[in-house]
mmCIF file with all atom_site columns, all heavy atoms in Angstrom:
data_model
loop_
_atom_site.group_PDB
_atom_site.id
_atom_site.type_symbol
_atom_site.label_atom_id
_atom_site.label_alt_id
_atom_site.label_comp_id
_atom_site.label_asym_id
_atom_site.label_entity_id
_atom_site.label_seq_id
_atom_site.pdbx_PDB_ins_code
_atom_site.Cartn_x
_atom_site.Cartn_y
_atom_site.Cartn_z
_atom_site.occupancy
_atom_site.B_iso_or_equiv
_atom_site.pdbx_formal_charge
_atom_site.auth_seq_id
_atom_site.auth_comp_id
_atom_site.auth_asym_id
_atom_site.auth_atom_id
_atom_site.pdbx_PDB_model_num
ATOM 1   N N   . GLN A 1 47  ? 42.461 -42.964 -87.911  1.00 0.00 ? 56  GLN A N   1
ATOM 2   C CA  . GLN A 1 47  ? 41.996 -44.312 -87.590  1.00 0.00 ? 56  GLN A CA  1
ATOM 3   C C   . GLN A 1 47  ? 42.676 -45.298 -88.533  1.00 0.00 ? 56  GLN A C   1
ATOM 4   O O   . GLN A 1 47  ? 42.918 -44.998 -89.694  1.00 0.00 ? 56  GLN A O   1
ATOM 5   C CB  . GLN A 1 47  ? 40.459 -44.373 -87.778  1.00 0.00 ? 56  GLN A CB  1
ATOM 6   C CG  . GLN A 1 47  ? 39.720 -43.448 -86.895  1.00 0.00 ? 56  GLN A CG  1
ATOM 7   C CD  . GLN A 1 47  ? 38.245 -43.435 -87.261  1.00 0.00 ? 56  GLN A CD  1
ATOM 8   O OE1 . GLN A 1 47  ? 37.820 -44.105 -88.199  1.00 0.00 ? 56  GLN A OE1 1
ATOM 9   N NE2 . GLN A 1 47  ? 37.469 -42.651 -86.545  1.00 0.00 ? 56  GLN A NE2 1
ATOM 10  N N   . LYS A 1 48  ? 42.988 -46.437 -87.953  1.00 0.00 ? 57  LYS A N   1
ATOM 11  C CA  . LYS A 1 48  ? 43.599 -47.485 -88.767  1.00 0.00 ? 57  LYS A CA  1
ATOM 12  C C   . LYS A 1 48  ? 42.551 -48.025 -89.783  1.00 0.00 ? 57  LYS A C   1
ATOM 13  O O   . LYS A 1 48  ? 41.403 -48.283 -89.415  1.00 0.00 ? 57  LYS A O   1
ATOM 14  C CB  . LYS A 1 48  ? 44.094 -48.599 -87.865  1.00 0.00 ? 57  LYS A CB  1
ATOM 15  C CG  . LYS A 1 48  ? 45.109 -49.533 -88.513  1.00 0.00 ? 57  LYS A CG  1
ATOM 16  C CD  . LYS A 1 48  ? 45.734 -50.394 -87.461  1.00 0.00 ? 57  LYS A CD  1
ATOM 17  C CE  . LYS A 1 48  ? 46.906 -51.096 -88.046  1.00 0.00 ? 57  LYS A CE  1
ATOM 18  N NZ  . LYS A 1 48  ? 48.154 -50.368 -87.899  1.00 0.00 ? 57  LYS A NZ  1
ATOM 19  N N   . GLN A 1 49  ? 42.971 -48.129 -91.039  1.00 0.00 ? 58  GLN A N   1
ATOM 20  C CA  . GLN A 1 49  ? 42.064 -48.602 -92.039  1.00 0.00 ? 58  GLN A CA  1
ATOM 21  C C   . GLN A 1 49  ? 42.688 -49.845 -92.709  1.00 0.00 ? 58  GLN A C   1
ATOM 22  O O   . GLN A 1 49  ? 43.888 -49.997 -92.770  1.00 0.00 ? 58  GLN A O   1
ATOM 23  C CB  . GLN A 1 49  ? 41.764 -47.560 -93.087  1.00 0.00 ? 58  GLN A CB  1
ATOM 24  C CG  . GLN A 1 49  ? 41.043 -46.374 -92.513  1.00 0.00 ? 58  GLN A CG  1
ATOM 25  C CD  . GLN A 1 49  ? 40.569 -45.393 -93.556  1.00 0.00 ? 58  GLN A CD  1
ATOM 26  O OE1 . GLN A 1 49  ? 40.910 -45.498 -94.716  1.00 0.00 ? 58  GLN A OE1 1
ATOM 27  N NE2 . GLN A 1 49  ? 39.737 -44.469 -93.150  1.00 0.00 ? 58  GLN A NE2 1
ATOM 28  N N   . GLN A 1 50  ? 41.826 -50.675 -93.269  1.00 0.00 ? 59  GLN A N   1
ATOM 29  C CA  . GLN A 1 50  ? 42.211 -51.908 -93.901  1.00 0.00 ? 59  GLN A CA  1
ATOM 30  C C   . GLN A 1 50  ? 42.988 -51.652 -95.192  1.00 0.00 ? 59  GLN A C   1
ATOM 31  O O   . GLN A 1 50  ? 42.647 -50.740 -95.964  1.00 0.00 ? 59  GLN A O   1
ATOM 32  C CB  . GLN A 1 50  ? 40.998 -52.793 -94.232  1.00 0.00 ? 59  GLN A CB  1
ATOM 33  C CG  . GLN A 1 50  ? 40.284 -53.273 -93.027  1.00 0.00 ? 59  GLN A CG  1
ATOM 34  C CD  . GLN A 1 50  ? 41.051 -54.319 -92.279  1.00 0.00 ? 59  GLN A CD  1
ATOM 35  O OE1 . GLN A 1 50  ? 41.790 -55.092 -92.871  1.00 0.00 ? 59  GLN A OE1 1
ATOM 36  N NE2 . GLN A 1 50  ? 40.872 -54.395 -90.961  1.00 0.00 ? 59  GLN A NE2 1
ATOM 37  N N   . PHE A 1 51  ? 43.974 -52.481 -95.458  1.00 0.00 ? 60  PHE A N   1
ATOM 38  C CA  . PHE A 1 51  ? 44.775 -52.363 -96.660  1.00 0.00 ? 60  PHE A CA  1
ATOM 39  C C   . PHE A 1 51  ? 43.882 -52.454 -97.918  1.00 0.00 ? 60  PHE A C   1
ATOM 40  O O   . PHE A 1 51  ? 43.986 -51.651 -98.824  1.00 0.00 ? 60  PHE A O   1
ATOM 41  C CB  . PHE A 1 51  ? 45.814 -53.477 -96.709  1.00 0.00 ? 60  PHE A CB  1
ATOM 42  C CG  . PHE A 1 51  ? 46.413 -53.696 -98.058  1.00 0.00 ? 60  PHE A CG  1
ATOM 43  C CD1 . PHE A 1 51  ? 47.459 -52.890 -98.498  1.00 0.00 ? 60  PHE A CD1 1
ATOM 44  C CD2 . PHE A 1 51  ? 45.957 -54.709 -98.907  1.00 0.00 ? 60  PHE A CD2 1
ATOM 45  C CE1 . PHE A 1 51  ? 48.012 -53.051 -99.744  1.00 0.00 ? 60  PHE A CE1 1
ATOM 46  C CE2 . PHE A 1 51  ? 46.492 -54.883 -100.135 1.00 0.00 ? 60  PHE A CE2 1
ATOM 47  C CZ  . PHE A 1 51  ? 47.536 -54.053 -100.578 1.00 0.00 ? 60  PHE A CZ  1
ATOM 48  N N   . PHE A 1 53  ? 40.700 -51.797 -98.350  1.00 0.00 ? 62  PHE A N   1
ATOM 49  C CA  . PHE A 1 53  ? 39.866 -50.612 -98.485  1.00 0.00 ? 62  PHE A CA  1
ATOM 50  C C   . PHE A 1 53  ? 40.663 -49.472 -99.100  1.00 0.00 ? 62  PHE A C   1
ATOM 51  O O   . PHE A 1 53  ? 40.237 -48.790 -100.046 1.00 0.00 ? 62  PHE A O   1
ATOM 52  C CB  . PHE A 1 53  ? 39.281 -50.183 -97.132  1.00 0.00 ? 62  PHE A CB  1
ATOM 53  C CG  . PHE A 1 53  ? 38.504 -48.908 -97.169  1.00 0.00 ? 62  PHE A CG  1
ATOM 54  C CD1 . PHE A 1 53  ? 37.234 -48.880 -97.715  1.00 0.00 ? 62  PHE A CD1 1
ATOM 55  C CD2 . PHE A 1 53  ? 39.098 -47.736 -96.696  1.00 0.00 ? 62  PHE A CD2 1
ATOM 56  C CE1 . PHE A 1 53  ? 36.511 -47.673 -97.724  1.00 0.00 ? 62  PHE A CE1 1
ATOM 57  C CE2 . PHE A 1 53  ? 38.371 -46.547 -96.695  1.00 0.00 ? 62  PHE A CE2 1
ATOM 58  C CZ  . PHE A 1 53  ? 37.090 -46.513 -97.240  1.00 0.00 ? 62  PHE A CZ  1
ATOM 59  N N   . LEU A 1 54  ? 41.858 -49.238 -98.565  1.00 0.00 ? 63  LEU A N   1
ATOM 60  C CA  . LEU A 1 54  ? 42.711 -48.161 -99.076  1.00 0.00 ? 63  LEU A CA  1
ATOM 61  C C   . LEU A 1 54  ? 43.144 -48.400 -100.521 1.00 0.00 ? 63  LEU A C   1
ATOM 62  O O   . LEU A 1 54  ? 43.087 -47.529 -101.366 1.00 0.00 ? 63  LEU A O   1
ATOM 63  C CB  . LEU A 1 54  ? 43.949 -48.019 -98.190  1.00 0.00 ? 63  LEU A CB  1
ATOM 64  C CG  . LEU A 1 54  ? 43.662 -47.553 -96.742  1.00 0.00 ? 63  LEU A CG  1
ATOM 65  C CD1 . LEU A 1 54  ? 44.893 -47.736 -95.872  1.00 0.00 ? 63  LEU A CD1 1
ATOM 66  C CD2 . LEU A 1 54  ? 43.193 -46.100 -96.749  1.00 0.00 ? 63  LEU A CD2 1
ATOM 67  N N   . PHE A 1 55  ? 43.578 -49.667 -100.807 1.00 0.00 ? 64  PHE A N   1
ATOM 68  C CA  . PHE A 1 55  ? 44.012 -49.966 -102.146 1.00 0.00 ? 64  PHE A CA  1
ATOM 69  C C   . PHE A 1 55  ? 42.854 -49.827 -103.144 1.00 0.00 ? 64  PHE A C   1
ATOM 70  O O   . PHE A 1 55  ? 43.007 -49.261 -104.226 1.00 0.00 ? 64  PHE A O   1
ATOM 71  C CB  . PHE A 1 55  ? 44.562 -51.384 -102.231 1.00 0.00 ? 64  PHE A CB  1
ATOM 72  C CG  . PHE A 1 55  ? 44.920 -51.811 -103.603 1.00 0.00 ? 64  PHE A CG  1
ATOM 73  C CD1 . PHE A 1 55  ? 46.101 -51.357 -104.194 1.00 0.00 ? 64  PHE A CD1 1
ATOM 74  C CD2 . PHE A 1 55  ? 44.107 -52.626 -104.355 1.00 0.00 ? 64  PHE A CD2 1
ATOM 75  C CE1 . PHE A 1 55  ? 46.444 -51.717 -105.493 1.00 0.00 ? 64  PHE A CE1 1
ATOM 76  C CE2 . PHE A 1 55  ? 44.432 -53.005 -105.649 1.00 0.00 ? 64  PHE A CE2 1
ATOM 77  C CZ  . PHE A 1 55  ? 45.595 -52.539 -106.222 1.00 0.00 ? 64  PHE A CZ  1
ATOM 78  N N   . ASN A 1 58  ? 42.014 -46.075 -103.821 1.00 0.00 ? 67  ASN A N   1
ATOM 79  C CA  . ASN A 1 58  ? 43.040 -45.460 -104.659 1.00 0.00 ? 67  ASN A CA  1
ATOM 80  C C   . ASN A 1 58  ? 43.040 -46.028 -106.066 1.00 0.00 ? 67  ASN A C   1
ATOM 81  O O   . ASN A 1 58  ? 43.235 -45.295 -107.035 1.00 0.00 ? 67  ASN A O   1
ATOM 82  C CB  . ASN A 1 58  ? 44.404 -45.627 -103.999 1.00 0.00 ? 67  ASN A CB  1
ATOM 83  C CG  . ASN A 1 58  ? 44.525 -44.828 -102.738 1.00 0.00 ? 67  ASN A CG  1
ATOM 84  O OD1 . ASN A 1 58  ? 43.893 -43.795 -102.557 1.00 0.00 ? 67  ASN A OD1 1
ATOM 85  N ND2 . ASN A 1 58  ? 45.381 -45.274 -101.851 1.00 0.00 ? 67  ASN A ND2 1
ATOM 86  N N   . ARG A 1 106 ? 53.593 -36.999 -90.319  1.00 0.00 ? 115 ARG A N   1
ATOM 87  C CA  . ARG A 1 106 ? 53.430 -38.328 -89.715  1.00 0.00 ? 115 ARG A CA  1
ATOM 88  C C   . ARG A 1 106 ? 52.392 -39.170 -90.516  1.00 0.00 ? 115 ARG A C   1
ATOM 89  O O   . ARG A 1 106 ? 52.607 -40.400 -90.651  1.00 0.00 ? 115 ARG A O   1
ATOM 90  C CB  . ARG A 1 106 ? 52.914 -38.182 -88.282  1.00 0.00 ? 115 ARG A CB  1
ATOM 91  C CG  . ARG A 1 106 ? 52.770 -39.498 -87.562  1.00 0.00 ? 115 ARG A CG  1
ATOM 92  C CD  . ARG A 1 106 ? 52.520 -39.348 -86.129  1.00 0.00 ? 115 ARG A CD  1
ATOM 93  N NE  . ARG A 1 106 ? 52.484 -40.634 -85.516  1.00 0.00 ? 115 ARG A NE  1
ATOM 94  C CZ  . ARG A 1 106 ? 51.973 -40.875 -84.354  1.00 0.00 ? 115 ARG A CZ  1
ATOM 95  N NH1 . ARG A 1 106 ? 51.442 -39.904 -83.648  1.00 0.00 ? 115 ARG A NH1 1
ATOM 96  N NH2 . ARG A 1 106 ? 51.934 -42.080 -83.871  1.00 0.00 ? 115 ARG A NH2 1
ATOM 97  N N   . TYR A 1 107 ? 51.304 -38.564 -91.007  1.00 0.00 ? 116 TYR A N   1
ATOM 98  C CA  . TYR A 1 107 ? 50.274 -39.361 -91.610  1.00 0.00 ? 116 TYR A CA  1
ATOM 99  C C   . TYR A 1 107 ? 50.166 -39.225 -93.149  1.00 0.00 ? 116 TYR A C   1
ATOM 100 O O   . TYR A 1 107 ? 49.711 -40.127 -93.800  1.00 0.00 ? 116 TYR A O   1
ATOM 101 C CB  . TYR A 1 107 ? 48.879 -38.987 -90.990  1.00 0.00 ? 116 TYR A CB  1
ATOM 102 C CG  . TYR A 1 107 ? 48.807 -39.300 -89.535  1.00 0.00 ? 116 TYR A CG  1
ATOM 103 C CD1 . TYR A 1 107 ? 48.749 -38.277 -88.596  1.00 0.00 ? 116 TYR A CD1 1
ATOM 104 C CD2 . TYR A 1 107 ? 48.847 -40.596 -89.084  1.00 0.00 ? 116 TYR A CD2 1
ATOM 105 C CE1 . TYR A 1 107 ? 48.677 -38.564 -87.246  1.00 0.00 ? 116 TYR A CE1 1
ATOM 106 C CE2 . TYR A 1 107 ? 48.785 -40.897 -87.727  1.00 0.00 ? 116 TYR A CE2 1
ATOM 107 C CZ  . TYR A 1 107 ? 48.717 -39.873 -86.811  1.00 0.00 ? 116 TYR A CZ  1
ATOM 108 O OH  . TYR A 1 107 ? 48.665 -40.155 -85.490  1.00 0.00 ? 116 TYR A OH  1
ATOM 109 N N   . LEU A 1 108 ? 50.551 -38.075 -93.690  1.00 0.00 ? 117 LEU A N   1
ATOM 110 C CA  . LEU A 1 108 ? 50.415 -37.874 -95.112  1.00 0.00 ? 117 LEU A CA  1
ATOM 111 C C   . LEU A 1 108 ? 51.667 -38.188 -95.876  1.00 0.00 ? 117 LEU A C   1
ATOM 112 O O   . LEU A 1 108 ? 51.662 -38.904 -96.869  1.00 0.00 ? 117 LEU A O   1
ATOM 113 C CB  . LEU A 1 108 ? 49.966 -36.419 -95.391  1.00 0.00 ? 117 LEU A CB  1
ATOM 114 C CG  . LEU A 1 108 ? 49.729 -36.058 -96.835  1.00 0.00 ? 117 LEU A CG  1
ATOM 115 C CD1 . LEU A 1 108 ? 48.503 -36.823 -97.391  1.00 0.00 ? 117 LEU A CD1 1
ATOM 116 C CD2 . LEU A 1 108 ? 49.482 -34.566 -96.990  1.00 0.00 ? 117 LEU A CD2 1
ATOM 117 N N   . PRO A 1 110 ? 54.396 -40.158 -95.472  1.00 0.00 ? 119 PRO A N   1
ATOM 118 C CA  . PRO A 1 110 ? 54.991 -41.466 -95.709  1.00 0.00 ? 119 PRO A CA  1
ATOM 119 C C   . PRO A 1 110 ? 54.426 -42.197 -96.957  1.00 0.00 ? 119 PRO A C   1
ATOM 120 O O   . PRO A 1 110 ? 55.142 -42.871 -97.649  1.00 0.00 ? 119 PRO A O   1
ATOM 121 C CB  . PRO A 1 110 ? 54.638 -42.265 -94.433  1.00 0.00 ? 119 PRO A CB  1
ATOM 122 C CG  . PRO A 1 110 ? 54.509 -41.246 -93.359  1.00 0.00 ? 119 PRO A CG  1
ATOM 123 C CD  . PRO A 1 110 ? 53.920 -40.025 -94.094  1.00 0.00 ? 119 PRO A CD  1
ATOM 124 N N   . HIS A 1 111 ? 53.152 -42.066 -97.198  1.00 0.00 ? 120 HIS A N   1
ATOM 125 C CA  . HIS A 1 111 ? 52.580 -42.763 -98.363  1.00 0.00 ? 120 HIS A CA  1
ATOM 126 C C   . HIS A 1 111 ? 52.315 -41.827 -99.552  1.00 0.00 ? 120 HIS A C   1
ATOM 127 O O   . HIS A 1 111 ? 52.016 -42.302 -100.660 1.00 0.00 ? 120 HIS A O   1
ATOM 128 C CB  . HIS A 1 111 ? 51.277 -43.468 -97.973  1.00 0.00 ? 120 HIS A CB  1
ATOM 129 C CG  . HIS A 1 111 ? 50.105 -42.540 -97.834  1.00 0.00 ? 120 HIS A CG  1
ATOM 130 N ND1 . HIS A 1 111 ? 49.924 -41.775 -96.703  1.00 0.00 ? 120 HIS A ND1 1
ATOM 131 C CD2 . HIS A 1 111 ? 49.087 -42.286 -98.635  1.00 0.00 ? 120 HIS A CD2 1
ATOM 132 C CE1 . HIS A 1 111 ? 48.834 -41.044 -96.845  1.00 0.00 ? 120 HIS A CE1 1
ATOM 133 N NE2 . HIS A 1 111 ? 48.295 -41.333 -98.014  1.00 0.00 ? 120 HIS A NE2 1
ATOM 134 N N   . PHE A 1 112 ? 52.424 -40.523 -99.348  1.00 0.00 ? 121 PHE A N   1
ATOM 135 C CA  . PHE A 1 112 ? 52.074 -39.539 -100.329 1.00 0.00 ? 121 PHE A CA  1
ATOM 136 C C   . PHE A 1 112 ? 52.848 -39.727 -101.635 1.00 0.00 ? 121 PHE A C   1
ATOM 137 O O   . PHE A 1 112 ? 52.244 -39.700 -102.714 1.00 0.00 ? 121 PHE A O   1
ATOM 138 C CB  . PHE A 1 112 ? 52.331 -38.147 -99.722  1.00 0.00 ? 121 PHE A CB  1
ATOM 139 C CG  . PHE A 1 112 ? 51.894 -37.001 -100.597 1.00 0.00 ? 121 PHE A CG  1
ATOM 140 C CD1 . PHE A 1 112 ? 50.558 -36.679 -100.715 1.00 0.00 ? 121 PHE A CD1 1
ATOM 141 C CD2 . PHE A 1 112 ? 52.826 -36.225 -101.272 1.00 0.00 ? 121 PHE A CD2 1
ATOM 142 C CE1 . PHE A 1 112 ? 50.158 -35.598 -101.495 1.00 0.00 ? 121 PHE A CE1 1
ATOM 143 C CE2 . PHE A 1 112 ? 52.450 -35.168 -102.062 1.00 0.00 ? 121 PHE A CE2 1
ATOM 144 C CZ  . PHE A 1 112 ? 51.074 -34.870 -102.175 1.00 0.00 ? 121 PHE A CZ  1
ATOM 145 N N   . PHE A 1 114 ? 54.226 -42.307 -103.045 1.00 0.00 ? 123 PHE A N   1
ATOM 146 C CA  . PHE A 1 114 ? 53.821 -43.485 -103.825 1.00 0.00 ? 123 PHE A CA  1
ATOM 147 C C   . PHE A 1 114 ? 52.429 -43.309 -104.421 1.00 0.00 ? 123 PHE A C   1
ATOM 148 O O   . PHE A 1 114 ? 52.224 -43.622 -105.589 1.00 0.00 ? 123 PHE A O   1
ATOM 149 C CB  . PHE A 1 114 ? 53.844 -44.713 -102.924 1.00 0.00 ? 123 PHE A CB  1
ATOM 150 C CG  . PHE A 1 114 ? 55.207 -45.016 -102.350 1.00 0.00 ? 123 PHE A CG  1
ATOM 151 C CD1 . PHE A 1 114 ? 55.514 -44.746 -101.029 1.00 0.00 ? 123 PHE A CD1 1
ATOM 152 C CD2 . PHE A 1 114 ? 56.183 -45.581 -103.154 1.00 0.00 ? 123 PHE A CD2 1
ATOM 153 C CE1 . PHE A 1 114 ? 56.793 -44.996 -100.536 1.00 0.00 ? 123 PHE A CE1 1
ATOM 154 C CE2 . PHE A 1 114 ? 57.470 -45.846 -102.674 1.00 0.00 ? 123 PHE A CE2 1
ATOM 155 C CZ  . PHE A 1 114 ? 57.734 -45.537 -101.358 1.00 0.00 ? 123 PHE A CZ  1
ATOM 156 N N   . GLU A 1 115 ? 51.493 -42.791 -103.637 1.00 0.00 ? 124 GLU A N   1
ATOM 157 C CA  . GLU A 1 115 ? 50.137 -42.593 -104.134 1.00 0.00 ? 124 GLU A CA  1
ATOM 158 C C   . GLU A 1 115 ? 50.105 -41.546 -105.264 1.00 0.00 ? 124 GLU A C   1
ATOM 159 O O   . GLU A 1 115 ? 49.423 -41.746 -106.283 1.00 0.00 ? 124 GLU A O   1
ATOM 160 C CB  . GLU A 1 115 ? 49.248 -42.177 -102.973 1.00 0.00 ? 124 GLU A CB  1
ATOM 161 C CG  . GLU A 1 115 ? 47.770 -42.212 -103.249 1.00 0.00 ? 124 GLU A CG  1
ATOM 162 C CD  . GLU A 1 115 ? 46.972 -41.982 -102.010 1.00 0.00 ? 124 GLU A CD  1
ATOM 163 O OE1 . GLU A 1 115 ? 47.302 -42.576 -100.916 1.00 0.00 ? 124 GLU A OE1 1
ATOM 164 O OE2 . GLU A 1 115 ? 46.003 -41.239 -102.089 1.00 0.00 ? 124 GLU A OE2 1
ATOM 165 N N   . LEU A 1 160 ? 50.505 -48.297 -105.808 1.00 0.00 ? 169 LEU A N   1
ATOM 166 C CA  . LEU A 1 160 ? 49.299 -48.248 -104.987 1.00 0.00 ? 169 LEU A CA  1
ATOM 167 C C   . LEU A 1 160 ? 49.340 -49.279 -103.831 1.00 0.00 ? 169 LEU A C   1
ATOM 168 O O   . LEU A 1 160 ? 48.914 -49.010 -102.732 1.00 0.00 ? 169 LEU A O   1
ATOM 169 C CB  . LEU A 1 160 ? 48.048 -48.500 -105.836 1.00 0.00 ? 169 LEU A CB  1
ATOM 170 C CG  . LEU A 1 160 ? 47.657 -47.373 -106.777 1.00 0.00 ? 169 LEU A CG  1
ATOM 171 C CD1 . LEU A 1 160 ? 46.491 -47.808 -107.645 1.00 0.00 ? 169 LEU A CD1 1
ATOM 172 C CD2 . LEU A 1 160 ? 47.337 -46.107 -106.010 1.00 0.00 ? 169 LEU A CD2 1
ATOM 173 N N   . VAL A 1 161 ? 49.915 -50.456 -104.116 1.00 0.00 ? 170 VAL A N   1
ATOM 174 C CA  . VAL A 1 161 ? 50.094 -51.447 -103.046 1.00 0.00 ? 170 VAL A CA  1
ATOM 175 C C   . VAL A 1 161 ? 51.023 -50.905 -101.970 1.00 0.00 ? 170 VAL A C   1
ATOM 176 O O   . VAL A 1 161 ? 50.735 -51.014 -100.757 1.00 0.00 ? 170 VAL A O   1
ATOM 177 C CB  . VAL A 1 161 ? 50.602 -52.791 -103.664 1.00 0.00 ? 170 VAL A CB  1
ATOM 178 C CG1 . VAL A 1 161 ? 51.086 -53.700 -102.559 1.00 0.00 ? 170 VAL A CG1 1
ATOM 179 C CG2 . VAL A 1 161 ? 49.520 -53.448 -104.470 1.00 0.00 ? 170 VAL A CG2 1
ATOM 180 N N   . ILE A 1 162 ? 52.132 -50.339 -102.372 1.00 0.00 ? 171 ILE A N   1
ATOM 181 C CA  . ILE A 1 162 ? 53.098 -49.771 -101.391 1.00 0.00 ? 171 ILE A CA  1
ATOM 182 C C   . ILE A 1 162 ? 52.443 -48.692 -100.580 1.00 0.00 ? 171 ILE A C   1
ATOM 183 O O   . ILE A 1 162 ? 52.550 -48.669 -99.341  1.00 0.00 ? 171 ILE A O   1
ATOM 184 C CB  . ILE A 1 162 ? 54.372 -49.277 -102.122 1.00 0.00 ? 171 ILE A CB  1
ATOM 185 C CG1 . ILE A 1 162 ? 55.134 -50.433 -102.734 1.00 0.00 ? 171 ILE A CG1 1
ATOM 186 C CG2 . ILE A 1 162 ? 55.255 -48.491 -101.130 1.00 0.00 ? 171 ILE A CG2 1
ATOM 187 C CD1 . ILE A 1 162 ? 56.261 -50.001 -103.672 1.00 0.00 ? 171 ILE A CD1 1
ATOM 188 N N   . ALA A 1 163 ? 51.715 -47.787 -101.248 1.00 0.00 ? 172 ALA A N   1
ATOM 189 C CA  . ALA A 1 163 ? 51.050 -46.695 -100.536 1.00 0.00 ? 172 ALA A CA  1
ATOM 190 C C   . ALA A 1 163 ? 50.000 -47.234 -99.551  1.00 0.00 ? 172 ALA A C   1
ATOM 191 O O   . ALA A 1 163 ? 49.941 -46.768 -98.413  1.00 0.00 ? 172 ALA A O   1
ATOM 192 C CB  . ALA A 1 163 ? 50.381 -45.733 -101.528 1.00 0.00 ? 172 ALA A CB  1
ATOM 193 N N   . ALA A 1 164 ? 49.258 -48.208 -99.975  1.00 0.00 ? 173 ALA A N   1
ATOM 194 C CA  . ALA A 1 164 ? 48.195 -48.786 -99.072  1.00 0.00 ? 173 ALA A CA  1
ATOM 195 C C   . ALA A 1 164 ? 48.842 -49.510 -97.892  1.00 0.00 ? 173 ALA A C   1
ATOM 196 O O   . ALA A 1 164 ? 48.331 -49.460 -96.781  1.00 0.00 ? 173 ALA A O   1
ATOM 197 C CB  . ALA A 1 164 ? 47.277 -49.693 -99.860  1.00 0.00 ? 173 ALA A CB  1
ATOM 198 N N   . LEU A 1 165 ? 49.947 -50.257 -98.167  1.00 0.00 ? 174 LEU A N   1
ATOM 199 C CA  . LEU A 1 165 ? 50.637 -50.924 -97.068  1.00 0.00 ? 174 LEU A CA  1
ATOM 200 C C   . LEU A 1 165 ? 51.138 -49.917 -96.039  1.00 0.00 ? 174 LEU A C   1
ATOM 201 O O   . LEU A 1 165 ? 51.004 -50.108 -94.814  1.00 0.00 ? 174 LEU A O   1
ATOM 202 C CB  . LEU A 1 165 ? 51.803 -51.741 -97.593  1.00 0.00 ? 174 LEU A CB  1
ATOM 203 C CG  . LEU A 1 165 ? 51.458 -53.082 -98.226  1.00 0.00 ? 174 LEU A CG  1
ATOM 204 C CD1 . LEU A 1 165 ? 52.714 -53.673 -98.903  1.00 0.00 ? 174 LEU A CD1 1
ATOM 205 C CD2 . LEU A 1 165 ? 50.947 -54.036 -97.159  1.00 0.00 ? 174 LEU A CD2 1
ATOM 206 N N   . ILE A 1 166 ? 51.738 -48.831 -96.513  1.00 0.00 ? 175 ILE A N   1
ATOM 207 C CA  . ILE A 1 166 ? 52.271 -47.805 -95.606  1.00 0.00 ? 175 ILE A CA  1
ATOM 208 C C   . ILE A 1 166 ? 51.122 -47.154 -94.840  1.00 0.00 ? 175 ILE A C   1
ATOM 209 O O   . ILE A 1 166 ? 51.157 -47.039 -93.621  1.00 0.00 ? 175 ILE A O   1
ATOM 210 C CB  . ILE A 1 166 ? 53.092 -46.761 -96.355  1.00 0.00 ? 175 ILE A CB  1
ATOM 211 C CG1 . ILE A 1 166 ? 54.384 -47.379 -96.905  1.00 0.00 ? 175 ILE A CG1 1
ATOM 212 C CG2 . ILE A 1 166 ? 53.419 -45.586 -95.468  1.00 0.00 ? 175 ILE A CG2 1
ATOM 213 C CD1 . ILE A 1 166 ? 55.137 -46.523 -97.882  1.00 0.00 ? 175 ILE A CD1 1
ATOM 214 N N   . GLU A 1 167 ? 50.072 -46.754 -95.569  1.00 0.00 ? 176 GLU A N   1
ATOM 215 C CA  . GLU A 1 167 ? 48.955 -46.046 -94.938  1.00 0.00 ? 176 GLU A CA  1
ATOM 216 C C   . GLU A 1 167 ? 48.196 -46.922 -93.963  1.00 0.00 ? 176 GLU A C   1
ATOM 217 O O   . GLU A 1 167 ? 47.732 -46.440 -92.934  1.00 0.00 ? 176 GLU A O   1
ATOM 218 C CB  . GLU A 1 167 ? 48.016 -45.525 -96.036  1.00 0.00 ? 176 GLU A CB  1
ATOM 219 C CG  . GLU A 1 167 ? 47.015 -44.526 -95.522  1.00 0.00 ? 176 GLU A CG  1
ATOM 220 C CD  . GLU A 1 167 ? 46.189 -43.911 -96.651  1.00 0.00 ? 176 GLU A CD  1
ATOM 221 O OE1 . GLU A 1 167 ? 46.404 -44.272 -97.806  1.00 0.00 ? 176 GLU A OE1 1
ATOM 222 O OE2 . GLU A 1 167 ? 45.350 -43.050 -96.332  1.00 0.00 ? 176 GLU A OE2 1
ATOM 223 N N   . SER A 1 168 ? 48.051 -48.190 -94.237  1.00 0.00 ? 177 SER A N   1
ATOM 224 C CA  . SER A 1 168 ? 47.325 -49.077 -93.340  1.00 0.00 ? 177 SER A CA  1
ATOM 225 C C   . SER A 1 168 ? 48.088 -49.415 -92.083  1.00 0.00 ? 177 SER A C   1
ATOM 226 O O   . SER A 1 168 ? 47.548 -49.921 -91.106  1.00 0.00 ? 177 SER A O   1
ATOM 227 C CB  . SER A 1 168 ? 46.906 -50.368 -94.052  1.00 0.00 ? 177 SER A CB  1
ATOM 228 O OG  . SER A 1 168 ? 48.036 -51.161 -94.415  1.00 0.00 ? 177 SER A OG  1
ATOM 229 N N   . ASN A 1 169 ? 49.421 -49.177 -92.095  1.00 0.00 ? 178 ASN A N   1
ATOM 230 C CA  . ASN A 1 169 ? 50.239 -49.460 -90.929  1.00 0.00 ? 178 ASN A CA  1
ATOM 231 C C   . ASN A 1 169 ? 50.641 -48.189 -90.149  1.00 0.00 ? 178 ASN A C   1
ATOM 232 O O   . ASN A 1 169 ? 51.476 -48.256 -89.264  1.00 0.00 ? 178 ASN A O   1
ATOM 233 C CB  . ASN A 1 169 ? 51.473 -50.214 -91.319  1.00 0.00 ? 178 ASN A CB  1
ATOM 234 C CG  . ASN A 1 169 ? 51.123 -51.633 -91.738  1.00 0.00 ? 178 ASN A CG  1
ATOM 235 O OD1 . ASN A 1 169 ? 50.489 -52.337 -90.968  1.00 0.00 ? 178 ASN A OD1 1
ATOM 236 N ND2 . ASN A 1 169 ? 51.510 -52.040 -92.923  1.00 0.00 ? 178 ASN A ND2 1
ATOM 237 N N   . LEU A 1 170 ? 50.034 -47.047 -90.464  1.00 0.00 ? 179 LEU A N   1
ATOM 238 C CA  . LEU A 1 170 ? 50.345 -45.806 -89.720  1.00 0.00 ? 179 LEU A CA  1
ATOM 239 C C   . LEU A 1 170 ? 49.587 -45.774 -88.414  1.00 0.00 ? 179 LEU A C   1
ATOM 240 O O   . LEU A 1 170 ? 48.502 -46.198 -88.291  1.00 0.00 ? 179 LEU A O   1
ATOM 241 C CB  . LEU A 1 170 ? 50.018 -44.580 -90.572  1.00 0.00 ? 179 LEU A CB  1
ATOM 242 C CG  . LEU A 1 170 ? 50.938 -44.339 -91.759  1.00 0.00 ? 179 LEU A CG  1
ATOM 243 C CD1 . LEU A 1 170 ? 50.478 -43.131 -92.537  1.00 0.00 ? 179 LEU A CD1 1
ATOM 244 C CD2 . LEU A 1 170 ? 52.367 -44.129 -91.303  1.00 0.00 ? 179 LEU A CD2 1
#
Side-chain angles (χ1 to χ4, degrees):
Q56 299 172 359
K57 197 168 192 91
Q58 296 190 350
Q59 294 289 329
F60 165 82
F62 175 77
L63 294 167
F64 176 78
N67 291 332
R115 184 171 184 199
Y116 298 111
L117 182 66
H120 75 282
F121 185 75
F123 298 104
E124 193 171 316
L169 289 175
V170 166
I171 293 169
L174 281 171
I175 292 170
E176 193 173 0
S177 66
N178 289 307
L179 290 178

